[in-house]
Amino acid sequence: EEGGGEGGRGMTKLCKGIMFHRGMFQKKKTPFVAIALSGLAAPVVSIVSTYSDMNIGLVFSGFVLVALVVTTYVVFPRQFFRAQFGLMLLCLCRIRMTSGLSY
């Protein structure tokens, strides 16, 4: 561990050539959590819609989309929010039936 700083919140060596800054992670934990949860959204929505009713999956996916928009608005700069929201609207405009046809 290098640069203990504030109670050991400096750089930590994870493995050869990879350093992790604990202080920066603690300071900016919310964006990391938001990104991680958005990555888990698709598998969770597919599990909910597969093992329960399709209507519940549709409602759950709508809830996830709204939660991601609100989180992006709160956490990230406005330019990033506008770009992400525009991409989300573009994807919602092009509904595809490929996953629905697999049933």
Side-chain angles (χ1 to χ4, degrees):
E1 185 169 327
E2 300 175 7
E6 308 167 17
R9 291 186 176 189
M11 297 293 282
T12 302
K13 186 174 184 177
L14 294 177
C15 61
K16 186 176 181 176
I18 298 177
M19 302 293 283
F20 179 74
H21 194 280
R22 286 188 198 174
M24 287 297 283
F25 178 73
Q26 291 295 328
K27 188 191 298 185
K28 298 185 177 194
K29 189 186 295 185
T30 307
F32 287 120
V33 171
I35 291 168
L37 289 178
S38 68
L40 292 174
V44 169
V45 167
S46 74
I47 288 171
V48 167
S49 62
T50 300
Y51 294 111
S52 68
D53 190 18
M54 292 295 282
N55 292 328
I56 294 172
L58 185 63
V59 169
F60 187 73
S61 66
F63 173 74
V64 167
L65 287 174
V66 170
L68 288 174
V69 167
V70 169
T71 304
T72 305
Y73 183 79
V74 170
V75 171
F76 296 103
R78 295 301 172 250
Q79 287 180 330
F80 183 81
F81 166 74
R82 284 188 221 117
Q84 186 266 346
F85 188 63
L87 287 172
M88 186 180 284
L89 289 176
L90 279 173
C91 290
L92 287 174
C93 289
R94 296 181 295 143
I95 297 174
R96 296 185 185 159
M97 293 299 293
T98 54
S99 62
L101 294 175
S102 66
Y103 290 108

